[in-house]
C-alpha cells in the first residue's frame, strides 16, 4: 500500500484479523483501545483515516490468505459501522481462499445502519460473536455508553435473535471485568437465546 494508514490486517493467535474501521457507537470502559495502541502483530490499530474500500482490497494483496483457517473482523472499531464494505470484502476474501469468516460485533449494527443487517450476512458470514457484557440495559448503558442510549441493549438482544436465522454460528461474550454473579446472569441470557456463551 502506497500510504501507511495504520494496520488494517494483522495476526492475532492463529487467525487473520481485519481492523477496517475506528468508528464505534460505544465507548466501553473496558475497551482495549484505551489501554494499548496495538494487538497481535499490529504496530498501530489507530488508523490515520478510514481506508477506502479500494484500499482494503489493495491491502489484501499483501496477505497470504492460504496461511489462515479463520478471518476475524475485529479491531479498534465496530465492523458493522461499514457493513457494506465488510460484506463486499468478505466476498472478495472467499473468492480467494477457503476460510471461515467471523465478525466480532457490539450487536448494534441495526441501529447504526438504520435497517436490519442480518439478512445481508446470509451465505457470506460464517460466525458472529456479539458482545453481551451486562445482564440489563441500565448496566449496559453505564458500562458501554452507547450513543443510542437505553434502547441499545434490547437492540443488541434482538440482533442476536435475528442473526441466528442467517448465520450458522452465533455466540455471545462478556469480559471478565464484571462480577461472577453478572457473568452467570449473562450466561442465562445466552442460554435463553440458544447461543454459545464465552467469557473473555
Ligand atoms: S464496542 Fe468494541 S470497539 Fe467499541 S468501545 Fe466497545 S469494546 Fe471498544
Amino acid at each position: 500500500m502506497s500510504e501507511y494508514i495504520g494496520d488494517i490486517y494483522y495476526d492475532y493467535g492463529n487467525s487473520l484479523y481485519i481492523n477496517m474501521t475506528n468508528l464505534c457507537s460505544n465507548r466501553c470502559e473496558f475497551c482495549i483501545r484505551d489501554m494499548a495502541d496495538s494487538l497481535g502483530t499490529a504496530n498501530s490499530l489507530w488508523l490515520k483515516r478510514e481506508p477506502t474500500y479500494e484500499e482494503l482490497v489493495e491491502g489484501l494483496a499483501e496477505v497470504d490468505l492460504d496461511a489462515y483457517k479463520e478471518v476475524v473482523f475485529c479491531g479498534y472499531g465496530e465492523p458493522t459501522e461499514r457493513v457494506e464494505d465488510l460484506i463486499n470484502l468478505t466476498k472478495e476474501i472467499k473468492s480467494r481462499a477457503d476460510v471461515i469468516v467471523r465478525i466480532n460485533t457490539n450487536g448494534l449494527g441495526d441501529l447504526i445502519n438504520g435497517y436490519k443487517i442480518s439478512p445481508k450476512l446470509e451465505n457470506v458470514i460464517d460466525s458472529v460473536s456479539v458482545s453481551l457484557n451486562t445482564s440489563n440495559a441500565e448496566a449496559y448503558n453505564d458500562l458501554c455508553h452507547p450513543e443510542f442510549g437505553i434502547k441499545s441493549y434490547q437492540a443488541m438482544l434482538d440482533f442476536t435473535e435475528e442473526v441466528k436465522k442467517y448465520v450458522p454460528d452465533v455466540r455471545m461474550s462478556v469480559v471478565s471485568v464484571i462480577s461472577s454473579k453478572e457473568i452467570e446472569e449473562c450466561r442465562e441470557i445466552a442460554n435463553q437465546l440458544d447461543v454459545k456463551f464465552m467469557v473473555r
Side-chain angles (χ1 to χ4, degrees):
M1 192 173 295
S2 50
E3 177 199 357
Y4 178 68
I5 300 169
D7 286 318
I8 297 168
Y9 297 95
Y10 65 106
D11 287 5
Y12 190 69
N14 295 321
S15 300
L16 174 69
Y17 274 60
I18 305 180
N19 175 48
M20 67 184 296
T21 182
N22 282 166
L23 301 173
C24 187
S25 56
N26 283 5
R27 287 183 295 108
C28 303
E29 293 183 3
F30 54 82
C31 185
I32 187 76
R33 306 197 301 180
D34 299 325
M35 300 168 203
D37 287 342
S38 66
L39 277 177
T41 57
N43 292 311
S44 175
L45 292 175
W46 287 114
L47 302 166
K48 292 180 180 170
R49 59 174 171 77
E50 292 290 302
T52 64
Y53 178 71
E54 289 70 28
E55 286 167 334
L56 294 172
V57 175
E58 190 184 328
L60 199 54
E62 297 165 16
V63 175
D64 178 12
L65 281 171
D66 292 329
Y68 305 95
K69 288 196 171 74
E70 182 187 51
V71 173
V72 184
F73 283 90
C74 179
Y76 278 10
E78 163 54 36
T80 64
E81 290 272 357
R82 296 185 58 179
V83 72
E84 298 287 344
D85 288 338
L86 180 157
I87 290 165
N88 289 331
L89 189 61
T90 301
K91 289 177 179 172
E92 184 65 36
I93 289 168
K94 292 203 165 198
S95 75
R96 300 183 187 201
D98 183 18
V99 287
I100 290 169
V101 176
R102 167 158 56 96
I103 307 173
N104 287 359
T105 177
N106 62 17
L108 301 183
D110 291 356
L111 290 178
I112 291 166
N113 291 283
Y115 61 87
K116 287 183 186 287
I117 65 169
S118 296
K120 286 179 170 273
L121 307 182
E122 187 171 30
N123 297 323
V124 181
I125 302 299
D126 302 292
S127 176
V128 172
S129 180
V130 181
S131 299
L132 174 56
N133 294 330
T134 67
S135 64
N136 63 77
E138 289 73 21
Y140 187 84
N141 250 25
D142 289 346
L143 186 65
C144 299
H145 307 283
E147 69 177 60
F148 302 105
I150 198 73
K151 67 182 179 184
S152 302
Y153 187 75
Q154 187 59 49
M156 175 265 296
L157 297 179
D158 292 346
F159 168 77
T160 305
E161 183 71 54
E162 179 82 359
V163 79
K164 289 192 300 178
K165 298 179 199 164
Y166 303 100
V167 172
D169 176 48
V170 179
R171 55 188 87 166
M172 301 191 100
S173 71
V174 297
V175 284
S176 55
V177 297
I178 62 175
S179 70
S180 51
K181 176 174 176 288
E182 184 84 344
I183 288 174
E184 290 316 306
E185 288 172 357
C186 288
R187 189 189 307 277
E188 182 55 31
I189 289 168
N191 285 344
Q192 286 171 6
L193 286 167
D194 195 23
V195 297
K196 293 176 209 161
F197 180 71
M198 303 175 73
V199 181
R200 293 183 281 124

